[in-house]
Amino acid sequence: MSERGTPRILVFDSGVGGLSVAARVHEQLPRASIVYLADNAAFPYGSQPESVVIERCCRLITKALEQYPCDAVVVACNTASTIALPNLRAITDVPVVGVVPAVKPAAAHTLNRRIGILATPATVRRPYLDELIREFAPGCQVERVGNPELVQWAEDLARGVPVPQCDLDNAVATLRDAGVDTVVLGCTHYPLLLASLKQSLPEVKFWVDSGDAIARRVVWLLAQAGKPVEAFEQGKAPCVPVAAALFSGVAPEAVASYMAGLGLQPKLVTGNWPEKS
């Protein structure tokens, strides 16, 4: 636990996508302090060899925990979660939470049994997505879209660049044609695009992502470790919810104001970390 007596959570991603998860963690643990770590020097992880993803995740998260001791680690990246979780859990005693596409809750929400899965090309190809669909959505028509541009549009949005709405309309046209009523946002970057996605697909009734489930898991892990959230709620909230936003590459321009707009005002933003820390 941090020196202030409040929990501290490390949220890790290859870019800004994990901010969507950090926002949900902050909602459920408003007294907690968050450290955000983005390996944007190696973005996107989906194009990296697995050995590189494992090495970078383990090295950067270990370094962050040395500098900012935390009570839980959230790997808010589908690629890193499917590749690096066993290695991370082997090198730290801090609980590590990963993400998976929210196929199970999508199957519970859909009314017409038509589900769209919007993900990165790497996630769409991974066998574990096939397994999730077989296990949790066997009676549903599932349309997958793996578009390489959406993640970059989310990254650009954090720098103040508007989403190209016409291009987004074209990118998700397959889901519109399939008549899906529920869409799984299978990448943590995609909730950041939700306002634009709703313009592209106004007929969709349910938008499902993993953020709330991850936040609930963090609360549960803290309780299991003898750190019930009720005790933290009685304490003083941090002046700013994010103790540090660490970027392995150049910190995105205007990212501090973007984070503040998500309710995640950072106390410190550091680029080229840890080399310049």
Side-chain angles (χ1 to χ4, degrees):
M1 190 181 299
S2 71
E3 65 276 6
R4 290 173 301 222
T6 57
R8 179 183 280 156
I9 315 300
L10 177 65
V11 180
F12 174 80
D13 189 23
S14 61
V16 300
L19 293 174
S20 69
V21 176
R24 301 289 82 76
V25 171
H26 177 56
E27 286 179 0
Q28 294 199 32
L29 286 169
R31 306 290 181 183
S33 177
I34 294 170
V35 174
Y36 190 76
L37 172 58
D39 188 15
N40 62 331
F43 172 86
Y45 268 3
S47 63
Q48 298 286 352
E50 290 191 4
S51 59
V52 171
V53 173
I54 293 170
E55 187 278 328
R56 294 188 69 90
C57 287
C58 291
R59 173 168 53 85
L60 291 172
I61 289 174
T62 297
K63 180 68 175 179
L65 290 174
E66 291 173 358
Q67 188 169 340
Y68 297 94
C70 292
D71 301 287
V73 175
V74 175
V75 179
C77 171
N78 282 280
T79 298
S81 293
T82 56
I83 294 173
L85 284 189
N87 301 80
L88 284 169
R89 287 168 174 158
I91 62 173
T92 180
D93 293 330
V94 179
V96 181
V97 181
V99 298
V100 294
V103 175
K104 183 178 180 180
H109 278 87
T110 181
L111 302 177
N112 67 3
R113 312 305 290 168
R114 296 179 184 179
I115 297 172
I117 298 180
L118 192 57
T120 64
T123 295
V124 165
R125 292 192 301 264
R126 293 192 185 281
Y128 87 98
L129 184 56
D130 298 328
E131 296 169 5
L132 288 173
I133 293 170
R134 281 195 298 268
E135 182 174 0
F136 297 117
C140 297
Q141 174 186 331
V142 179
E143 187 72 34
R144 310 184 203 192
V145 173
N147 188 288
E149 296 181 289
L150 270 68
V151 170
Q152 188 59 57
W153 293 336
E155 291 285 320
D156 292 344
L157 189 62
R159 297 188 293 109
V161 179
V163 177
Q165 191 65 51
C166 289
D167 292 338
L168 181 59
D169 292 347
N170 292 331
V172 298
T174 302
L175 300 183
R176 183 169 55 250
D177 295 342
V180 302
D181 74 346
T182 303
V183 173
V184 177
L185 300 175
C187 170
T188 56
H189 280 75
Y190 295 171
L192 303 177
L193 301 173
L194 184 56
S196 296
L197 285 166
K198 286 182 175 180
Q199 291 184 51
S200 297
L201 298 169
E203 301 85 2
V204 171
K205 294 181 173 62
F206 305 105
W207 298 87
V208 187
D209 65 71
S210 302
D212 287 336
I214 294 167
R216 289 194 299 270
R217 179 67 175 172
V218 171
V219 172
W220 184 85
L221 286 169
L222 292 174
Q224 291 298 302
K227 305 165 187 175
V229 65
E230 291 81 5
F232 302 134
E233 290 175 346
Q234 299 171 8
K236 183 179 179 181
C239 295
V240 290
V242 177
L246 312 172
F247 293 85
S248 64
V250 176
E253 185 179 351
V255 72
S257 59
Y258 181 75
M259 292 176 66
L262 297 173
L264 298 172
Q265 181 182 354
K267 182 177 182 180
L268 170 72
V269 175
T270 301
N272 299 308
W273 184 91
E275 286 76 9
K276 293 189 177 181
S277 63

